[in-house]
Amino acid sequence: MPPSASTNLGYTPPDGGWGWAVVFGSFISIGFSYAFPKSLTIYFKEIQEYFSISYSEIAWVSSIMLATMYAGGPVSSVLVNRYGSRPVVIAGGLMVGVAMVMASFGTTILHLYLCVGVIGGFGLAFNLQPSLTIIGKYFLVKRPIANGLAMAGSPVFLSTLAPLNQFLFDHFGWRGSFLILGGVVLNCCVAGSLMRPIKIKTKPPVSKTTDENDTAKPDVTSQTAGQDKSKQSGCAAKVSQFIDISLFKHRGYLIYLVGNVLLFFGFFAPVVFLAPYAKHQGIDEYSAAFLLSIFALVDMFARPGTGLVANTKWIRPKIQYFFSFSVTYNGLCHLICPLLPGYSGLVVYAVIFGLAFGMVCALLFEVLMDLVGAQRFSSAVGLATIIECGPVLLGPPISGLLVDIFMDYKYMYYACGMMMLAGGVFLFIMNFYNYRLLEKEEKEKQVEDRLEIGSAKELAANEEDKDNEEKIRLNTEEEVGKSICEEP
Amino acid sequence: MPRPRRAQHCCRETALFSMANVRHLILLLLYCDGMNTETTPSPPSDPVFTTRKAVSKGQNQVITEELAILTPQNIELLCNLTDIPNNPPNITGYWAKDGQEIENSEETVNRINEQYVLKKTFSIQARDLGNYSCIFRENKAQVTFVLDVPVIKDKRDKPVVSYTRDSVVLECKLKYTPNTWNWYKANNTEKELINVTANPLNYKIFNNGNRTKLTILNLSEEHSGKYICSAVFDIKPSESYIELKVLSYTEPLKPFIAIVVEVIVLVTLILLWEKCSKPQHDSSSAGENDVCSEQTTKLTRDESNGVENNTARRRKLDD
């Protein structure tokens, strides 16, 4: 039995039609959000020489951009809750575009930190959250496929932006490239314009409807069975006008957060160190770069594939288990990697890792939507990203430290594998527990419902009787009236 | 032929490595620095010992080994041949420079412990730099030593791009530290030395051991062209070039404006299409939605065991 949070939208999502255009828009936005900071590293060497700074100082640009992108999550959620996805994405696209144009005229590294790092990071945050949120609004039945397709934007854009950036750099140097990239990133505005706010048709009179699906007020009807209604008082009420912090009482959400913190410590570091590890083994630069291409290619297809698999009727109800499985698989993959010898071993590892990485990424936000429902999703993802900010940023440097201390990559892989395995096992156990509790709560609710229905049926029967009486009375009155009229 | 004795006392050690694998050709090099053949002996500088291994699988192989020569010196080149079939008691080999056989260099070596060692000492000055090969005629084995000044590697194939009124940094680096670095600007076939003291506003040179940086300030289009960095060694300078291209800001502006126009056009089209399709969308989709909603509730009922129905019913009753 899945958590029942999915349908308190108040309407049935279209699951198609314009939804696929929205998925395409999300594909573009998510692609830029994840791939853009990583693809900027091509310019770092030249900028480093230009400003005469060390490598770590220039690497801060990417780190600040990524950090702001994650930290800007709650701000983005607040804005999406208030204004809907479309204006926020368009604003985000404009912000990044302007930031890159300003950066192309930069005279100090601080200028770059502010423009590319802070403003650019916020702009990307304004792209990421709304794209994810709007998928939940347009899709329900086919949501895992939609999520998988949208998340596939990241590897596709990374493979496209990397050669594009190289080309721009060769022809225009870093300043001209930043200017042109500012223009390219404005295409996020195109993606935003595709994200039509969903029009709610008022249902037949019996059911209650929410008119706008992006109201600021939090969802007052109770969430998944068994959760306490959020007690709103004073300050908490004001904050929850903007963002739903009652989520922190949501059992499933807390499990998700803890699992995510564990898994993100070991998530990105293996990607970052794949090429250096290959070079360390004595493999030449081009083959090492080719490994990353293999990884990205497998990732590209793994994400929609996972979406398709997750959509099947066997997996969809138990999608939390599927997610836990993919995290555990990721962990095992890293534990085995150091044991594979030679270049062919590394190729096998890249393929398996690409599959695992794609699976986790495709399911990452789908399970969150499954847990909290589309209505609260935007607040949930905002709060989740700001908490994930820590492990995401700390993960690669800590792994780098491990490599420096032990002068061997295998300990770093073991550490990452253990972290992900811990996260996966934790999620498995806690989700098993959560599903059991939810089933129990559902059964209790069903018993209550039956009682209510029983009494409601009586009420309805009474009402019908009354109606029938009214009708009979009206008929008799009409007849009387007619007979009166007919009388001459 | 007896081994030349003059190089004897400057050599401290000879190291012989051999690979255990079958059919390998192993090279050992020994550098001897110091004593010239002239009458006035100069004090010997510290000998540099380098041992390098080159492995070849199979007998008919041509191996190339690169050696960096910084100062004029005497150098002994040594070729070690192993795993020859039939193990003849002796083999003949000769030396060649740049593909041309050196006269009177043919030598017959005897087999010692399954190995054949051919060596020769060369006196290397600036004009003597080149490719030295030891060739074993019958076995078709050949080892080539490339003697040259250190080559400046990781040279950019593509030109460095910068903009007018901006500044640019050109860098060269080597494995070895030269005596000094010089920068030249190439004008067609001529080289013009860049003199920082004469032109302190426009040029800055920063030398740091094995790397050098040339900073050109206040760029203009005339600064475009080839810049040559020269590492001066005792024996000969080693040179490399970097190409600089100076553009004006209008160059990247054109694609930028093209992309911005494309974005504006697409956004306008999408929003217009939405406005135009709105009236029909509203009127026609009311009926559709009911049908769609029934279907989706049925599907979701199958998938989620009737949870949605319960919540919908609960909501109805709540009203």
Side-chain angles (χ1 to χ4, degrees), chain B residues 42-166:
Chain B
S42 46
S45 42
D46 290 345
V48 175
F49 291 103
T50 314
T51 43
R52 298 233 198 112
K53 284 192 278 193
V55 176
S56 99
K57 298 184 174 86
Q59 204 187 5
N60 301 329
Q61 280 287 351
V62 176
I63 302 169
T64 310
E65 187 73 19
E66 287 181 14
L67 305 178
I69 311 287
L70 306 180
T71 56
Q73 59 187 264
N74 293 336
I75 184 167
E76 184 185 53
L77 300 176
L78 198 149
C79 298
N80 184 345
L81 198 59
T82 60
D83 291 317
I84 304 297
N86 306 326
N87 267 333
N90 47 33
I91 300 186
T92 44
Y94 65 94
W95 292 90
K97 177 176 188 291
D98 293 328
Q100 295 215 334
E101 184 172 340
I102 301 171
E103 288 175 14
N104 301 329
S105 66
E106 184 142 349
E107 205 177 308
T108 305
V109 288
N110 297 319
R111 185 184 70 211
I112 307 170
N113 291 339
E114 315 284 319
Q115 291 170 355
Y116 304 87
V117 176
L118 180 65
K119 48 190 169 195
K120 192 170 171 63
T121 306
F122 299 93
S123 161
I124 305 294
Q125 303 287 328
R127 60 173 185 278
D128 299 315
L129 291 169
N131 298 351
Y132 289 84
S133 313
C134 67
I135 303 169
F136 296 92
R137 229 189 292 262
E138 298 103 31
N139 309 93
K140 295 197 191 64
Q142 181 179 325
V143 179
T144 305
F145 299 91
V146 181
L147 268 57
D148 199 2
V149 279
V151 171
I152 298 175
K153 297 222 174 98
D154 46 81
K155 191 182 62 167
R156 278 185 64 143
D157 304 331
K158 311 242 174 67
V160 174
V161 177
S162 192
Y163 293 91
T164 51
R165 291 195 305 277
D166 196 6

Side-chain angles (χ1 to χ4, degrees), chain B residues 9-294:
Chain B
H9 68 274
C10 72
C11 308
R12 285 211 198 118
E13 283 164 23
T14 310
L16 269 174
F17 289 6
S18 60
M19 300 290 278
N21 297 338
V22 183
R23 298 188 182 277
H24 286 165
L25 179 64
I26 301 154
L27 314 170
L28 292 175
L29 316 168
L30 183 68
Y31 284 23
C32 298
D33 191 40
M35 300 298 273
N36 305 331
T37 49
E38 287 140 41
T39 47
T40 47
S42 46
S45 42
D46 290 345
V48 175
F49 291 103
T50 314
T51 43
R52 298 233 198 112
K53 284 192 278 193
V55 176
S56 99
K57 298 184 174 86
Q59 204 187 5
N60 301 329
Q61 280 287 351
V62 176
I63 302 169
T64 310
E65 187 73 19
E66 287 181 14
L67 305 178
I69 311 287
L70 306 180
T71 56
Q73 59 187 264
N74 293 336
I75 184 167
E76 184 185 53
L77 300 176
L78 198 149
C79 298
N80 184 345
L81 198 59
T82 60
D83 291 317
I84 304 297
N86 306 326
N87 267 333
N90 47 33
I91 300 186
T92 44
Y94 65 94
W95 292 90
K97 177 176 188 291
D98 293 328
Q100 295 215 334
E101 184 172 340
I102 301 171
E103 288 175 14
N104 301 329
S105 66
E106 184 142 349
E107 205 177 308
T108 305
V109 288
N110 297 319
R111 185 184 70 211
I112 307 170
N113 291 339
E114 315 284 319
Q115 291 170 355
Y116 304 87
V117 176
L118 180 65
K119 48 190 169 195
K120 192 170 171 63
T121 306
F122 299 93
S123 161
I124 305 294
Q125 303 287 328
R127 60 173 185 278
D128 299 315
L129 291 169
N131 298 351
Y132 289 84
S133 313
C134 67
I135 303 169
F136 296 92
R137 229 189 292 262
E138 298 103 31
N139 309 93
K140 295 197 191 64
Q142 181 179 325
V143 179
T144 305
F145 299 91
V146 181
L147 268 57
D148 199 2
V149 279
V151 171
I152 298 175
K153 297 222 174 98
D154 46 81
K155 191 182 62 167
R156 278 185 64 143
D157 304 331
K158 311 242 174 67
V160 174
V161 177
S162 192
Y163 293 91
T164 51
R165 291 195 305 277
D166 196 6
S167 66
V168 74
V169 175
L170 305 174
E171 187 178 355
C172 283
K173 62 175 186 264
L174 265 186
K175 263 200 226 168
Y176 302 92
T177 303
N179 300 342
T180 180
W181 287 95
N182 283 329
W183 282 92
Y184 300 91
K185 178 151 195 319
N187 286 329
N188 302 324
T189 46
E190 287 167 16
K191 278 194 319 199
E192 189 193 312
L193 180 67
I194 295 177
N195 196 339
V196 181
T197 42
N199 226 339
L201 289 174
N202 281 337
Y203 297 104
K204 284 197 180 79
I205 296 183
F206 176 67
N207 295 333
N208 186 9
N210 64 340
R211 40 170 77 202
T212 179
K213 287 193 200 171
L214 170 70
T215 308
I216 311 177
L217 306 164
N218 249 333
L219 283 169
S220 64
E221 309 230 317
E222 295 104 42
H223 282 110
S224 303
K226 224 194 246 187
Y227 287 82
I228 299 171
C229 64
S230 170
V232 176
F233 291 103
D234 284 336
I235 190 164
K236 202 173 92 160
S238 167
E239 291 188 350
S240 171
Y241 69 91
I242 302 179
E243 212 175 307
L244 176 67
K245 221 163 65 163
V246 181
L247 305 172
S248 75
Y249 264 108
T250 55
E251 294 276 333
L253 209 58
K254 294 179 218 156
F256 173 70
I257 293 189
I259 298 176
V260 170
V261 166
E262 168 247 325
V263 166
I264 295 178
V265 164
L266 280 175
V267 171
T268 322
L269 280 176
I270 292 173
L271 291 176
L272 272 178
W273 186 28
E274 185 178 327
K275 275 214 158 53
C276 292
S277 59
K278 233 201 224 172
Q280 304 122 336
H281 191 76
D282 276 337
S283 54
S284 62
S285 56
E288 277 174 26
N289 203 28
D290 293 329
V291 175
C292 292
S293 65
E294 276 183 42

